[in-house]
């Protein structure tokens, strides 16, 4: 049996601060049309795919920060994406900064949505692992203020029946944490979609910089193999406002093998015919969770936040 889902990973080159949303949406539409022309039923865009990666700057003005956020989704500016998805029957994952008024207060999240081939939002995720720092660190060449501008996601790691399988979502730094994939794996996920905006340089750990590609690949390949799921990781890359960003968007099989990878640091579509039934042999044998996991031995994972070494 083969349940084939043809997926496009739509990598984006830099988005300049001055690039207005309609100009960016035009780029997304071009990639969606290329995906359709190559038989895709689903196309995956990066994290924060409508704007530049604004957490690289320290801002105090609420209005300035809010200008990078979407007050509604779809909005007039993003509606063309949804209309084209319905016209072409191509669903999509889109990362964006969400501004919502909940419980009488303004809340911002680093969000992604899953939209089906009829242009309907079938799933939403809010980023849980927020990297970087919350206070201005002027000594840095660039900031990474996700902890300042976003709240920790409050929707958990969900999965949705869509595109003939069980689809999950996460965002960027989430992909480095095994718990992300395992929570979705425990819900039977068969394909995890994720976008990322990853600076090549990480100021607090420059000695890691030369391993950026390796750590990117390692994290997603491990997540795929250890949970018997496909993983589609899609970059916003290139030199964005003076900050080099990692590329290496890729589509990874449940075996952990990368089956497609981008070759540029620009807008680039890669496509793979993903047989969702390739998950089965891993879920039924090596990673048959019901047969092999021992949750009572894993309590520390939930009970303890930071490491506590023995006396
Ligand atoms: N980006 C990074 C990531 O985990 C990071 C965090 C920042 C990594 C700087 C390396 C250097 O890929 C996001 N947006 O989570």
């Amino acid at each position: 049996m083969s349940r084939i889902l043809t997926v496009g990973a739509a990598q984006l080159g830099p988005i300049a601060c001055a690039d207005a949303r309609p100009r960016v949406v035009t780029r997304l539409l071009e990639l969606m049309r290329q995906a359709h022309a190559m038989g895709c039923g689903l196309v995956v865009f990066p994290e924060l795919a409508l704007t530049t990666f604004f957490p690289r700057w320290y801002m105090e003005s609420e209005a300035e920060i809010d200008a990078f956020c979407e007050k509604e989704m779809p909005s007039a500016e993003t509606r063309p994406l949804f209309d084209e998805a319905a016209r072409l029957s191509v669903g999509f994952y889109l990362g964006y900064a969400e501004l919502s008024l909940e419980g009488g207060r303004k809340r911002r999240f680093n969000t992604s949505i899953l939209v089906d081939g009829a242009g309907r939002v079938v799933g939403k995720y809010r980023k849980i692992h927020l990297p970087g720092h919350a206070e201005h660190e002027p000594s840095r060449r660039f900031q990474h203020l996700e902890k300042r501008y976003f709240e920790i996601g409050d929707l958990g790691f969900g999965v949705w029946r869509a595109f003939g399988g069980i689809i999950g979502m996460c965002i960027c730094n989430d992909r480095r944490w095994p718990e992300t994939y395992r929570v979705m794996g425990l819900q039977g996920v068969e394909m995890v979609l994720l976008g990322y905006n990853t600076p090549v340089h990480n100021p607090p750990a420059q000695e890691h910089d030369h391993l950026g590609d390796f750590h990117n690949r390692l994290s997603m390949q491990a997540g795929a193999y250890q949970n018997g799921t496909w993983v589609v990781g899609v970059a916003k890359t290139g030199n964005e406002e003076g900050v080099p960003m990692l590329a290496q968007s890729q589509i990874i099989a449940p075996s952990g093998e990368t089956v497609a990878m981008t070759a540029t640091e620009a807008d680039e579509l890669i496509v793979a015919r993903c047989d969702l039934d390739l998950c089965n042999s891993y879920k039924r044998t090596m990673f048959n969770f019901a047969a092999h996991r021992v949750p009572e031995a894993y309590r520390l994972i939930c009970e303890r936040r930071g490491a506590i070494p023995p006396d």
Side-chain angles (χ1 to χ4, degrees), residues 47-48 53 55 110 127 129-132 140 142-144 146 150 171-177 195-205 208-209 212 216 245-246:
E47 170 190 29
L48 296 177
F53 186 75
N110 188 339
K127 186 173 182 179
H129 295 97
L130 297 173
R140 279 171 169 258
F142 54 89
Q143 309 294 305
H144 199 106
E146 291 191 65
F150 300 123
I171 299 175
C172 203
N173 195 251
D174 288 322
R175 77 189 185 285
R176 299 178 191 274
W177 300 91
Y196 57 90
N197 287 208
T198 300
V200 167
H201 305 294
N202 187 18
H208 300 173
D209 287 357
N216 180 50
M245 307 284 278
L246 188 70

Side-chain angles (χ1 to χ4, degrees), residues 55-60 130-140 142-150 204:
R56 69 167 63 90
W57 296 306
Y58 175 71
M59 294 174 273
E60 287 186 342
L130 297 173
H133 48 104
E135 299 306 322
H136 189 203
E137 296 182 10
S139 61
R140 279 171 169 258
F142 54 89
Q143 309 294 305
H144 199 106
L145 289 163
E146 291 191 65
K147 290 183 189 294
R148 184 181 188 83
Y149 299 139
F150 300 123

Side-chain angles (χ1 to χ4, degrees), residues 39-55:
C40 294
L42 169 63
V43 62
V44 182
F45 295 115
E47 170 190 29
L48 296 177
L50 297 171
T51 66
T52 196
F53 186 75
F54 62 90

Side-chain angles (χ1 to χ4, degrees), residues 6-10 31-32 35 40-45 90-94 269:
T6 302
V7 181
L31 288 160
M32 183 183 279
C40 294
L42 169 63
V43 62
V44 182
F45 295 115
V90 175
F92 62 93
Y93 162 112
L94 180 74
L269 178 78

